[in-house]
Every structure is written in structure tokens, then in C-alpha cells.
Amino acid sequence: MGNSALKAHLETAQKTGVFQLTGKGLTEFPEDLQKLTSNLRTIDLSNNKIELLPPLIGKFSFLKSLVLNNNKLTALPEELCKLKKLETLHLNGNHLRQLPSAFGQLSALKTLSLSGNQLRTVPTQLCGLRHLDVVDLSKNQIQNVPDSVGELQAIELNLNQNQISQISVQISHCPRLKVLRLEENCLELSMLPQSILSDSQISLLAVEGNLFEIKKLRELEGYDKYMERFTATKKKFA
């Protein structure tokens, strides 16, 4: 892509606060964007070939939305964690194995999408995020859900298409968790904590495609309690 095209994009972004450059085969984060650190609210560089996010990402202090789906990122810089206004972070379809240690400092974060990466566990850093609504960790390589998950503040947690065979009973203590998606994992029925049914806020539990028949779920203690929450929620949205 020529310099004049990039210049035109930068001029537009200066006015709108939105910089969107998708599917252009970019191999690196456009350095020229640093001229707009105080203008930009949204950056979308999806469907490129970016391998590294430079430390200068931490300078976009007004950024609310960062979208880098389908790139080649293997790691994220700690500087990303300085974005105190960031509400939406989409990193689907990259090669991420972990999150920066300071990730819990992204205090405004509401939506986090990490579908199709190489995470092996639910990152403990997520538990410090107080405003998190939706976390998508589907299509990763997660094998178990650790005790720390009980601190997660999310309303929806998507763990579809992982390799999960164990889930900590602490998941039923998540204060705001209403939707838990566990489709196409490696769960035996005996490994599903019954407290999810009997003693949690969860009103939608999606567990199709595991190592048990769905109808067996109905035989578990607490299923009727779960169905009460499920039906009450359905009525609310009907």
C-alpha cells in the first residue's frame, strides 16, 4: 500500500478518531499512527500479517477499541496494559499463548475476544477486571478451568471448542456469570460441578458435544433449580 493511501487514511482518522485498515497484507503496525495518539478512539487492523505490536501502543491513551483479528501475533507487549480507557479488545485468530502479566490493569475492559489462539489455560489476569462483560476463549487449547476462575466478573464466558476435561467448582461462585458455554470439549458428566446447576447465577449452560448425553444432565441434582433460572431469564428477554 502506497504512502499516499496511508496518508489519506491518517487524515480521515484524525477527523473521525477511527483508523481502519483491514486486509492489506500489513506486516507491521503502522508507525505513522503515533502522530494520532491523542485522536484515536478505535484502531482496526484485522486480516493483516502483523507479528508484533510495538510498545508505542501504550501511548494511545484515549483508545476505546482495538481490533487485531486474524493477524500473526504471538505475544502482546506489557505497554498494551497502559490503555486505561480500552473497553473492547478483539484478538481472534492469532497465535497467542499467554497474556501480559499486567493485563489486569486494563481496568475499563468490557469485551475480550481471544478465540482461535493457543491459550492453554484461563488467564488468571482476567480476574482483576471489574467491568468485564464478555470473555471469548473458544477454539484454544485449554484443558482445565482453575480455581482462580471464581473471581471472574464476566457475565458471559465462552469456552467452546477447547480440550477441557476439568472445571473447578469455584466457577459457580462467579458473582455475575450468567452464560457459560462449554460446547465441544472433553467433559465427562462427573467432571461437571453440580453446584453450577444448584448454586450459581448461571442461567444458560451450553454443554452439547461433550462426552455425555445431554439428557443425562437432567438427572443431576440441582437441574430443576437451574431450569428455574433458565426459564426466568427466557421470560425476561421474551
Side-chain angles (χ1 to χ4, degrees), residues 104-134:
Q105 292 174 12
L106 290 171
S107 48
L109 203 59
K110 290 180 181 171
T111 305
L112 175 63
S113 279
L114 287 161
S115 180
N117 278 281
Q118 294 169 18
L119 299 172
R120 292 180 177 273
T121 182
V122 176
T124 51
Q125 296 94 312
L126 302 186
C127 300
L129 299 168
R130 295 278 163 248
H131 299 289
L132 211 48
D133 289 336
V134 180

Side-chain angles (χ1 to χ4, degrees), residues 45-188:
L45 295 167
S46 296
N47 303 313
N48 281 296
K49 295 172 181 172
I50 298 169
E51 293 180 18
L52 279 177
L53 207 47
L56 71 89
I57 192 69
K59 296 188 173 144
F60 292 88
S61 43
F62 298 98
L63 201 61
K64 284 193 163 182
S65 173
L66 179 59
V67 185
L68 289 159
N69 294 333
N70 304 317
N71 275 283
K72 295 181 181 286
L73 297 170
T74 52
L76 300 170
E78 289 287 341
E79 287 80 2
L80 177 72
C81 309
K82 293 180 180 167
L83 301 177
K84 297 290 182 220
K85 288 191 163 42
L86 195 67
E87 294 177 6
T88 305
L89 180 57
H90 289 289
L91 295 161
N92 302 326
N94 280 283
H95 309 293
L96 298 170
R97 291 170 185 270
Q98 57 194 42
L99 297 180
S101 56
F103 198 82
Q105 292 174 12
L106 290 171
S107 48
L109 203 59
K110 290 180 181 171
T111 305
L112 175 63
S113 279
L114 287 161
S115 180
N117 278 281
Q118 294 169 18
L119 299 172
R120 292 180 177 273
T121 182
V122 176
T124 51
Q125 296 94 312
L126 302 186
C127 300
L129 299 168
R130 295 278 163 248
H131 299 289
L132 211 48
D133 289 336
V134 180
V135 180
D136 185 353
L137 300 173
S138 61
K139 299 182 185 170
N140 276 280
Q141 297 162 15
I142 298 169
Q143 295 176 2
N144 65 357
V145 180
D147 287 348
S148 59
V149 76
E151 312 269 316
L152 191 69
Q153 299 288 325
I155 296 168
E156 175 170 342
L157 176 59
N158 185 343
L159 291 165
N160 289 348
Q161 291 177 289
N162 276 284
Q163 300 155 19
I164 296 168
S165 58
Q166 285 187 307
I167 300 181
S168 167
V169 64
Q170 296 295 328
I171 199 160
S172 48
H173 296 164
C174 290
R176 298 167 69 214
L177 192 61
K178 298 271 194 289
V179 178
L180 177 58
R181 302 187 187 280
L182 287 162
E183 293 179 16
E184 294 179 49
N185 276 284
C186 310
L187 282 167
E188 302 273 358

Side-chain angles (χ1 to χ4, degrees), residues 189-206:
L189 191 59
S190 60
M191 286 296 163
L192 193 70
Q194 290 193 6
S195 55
I196 289 178
L197 299 172
S198 60
D199 191 26
S200 78
Q201 303 287 322
I202 294 165
S203 54
L204 176 63
L205 175 65

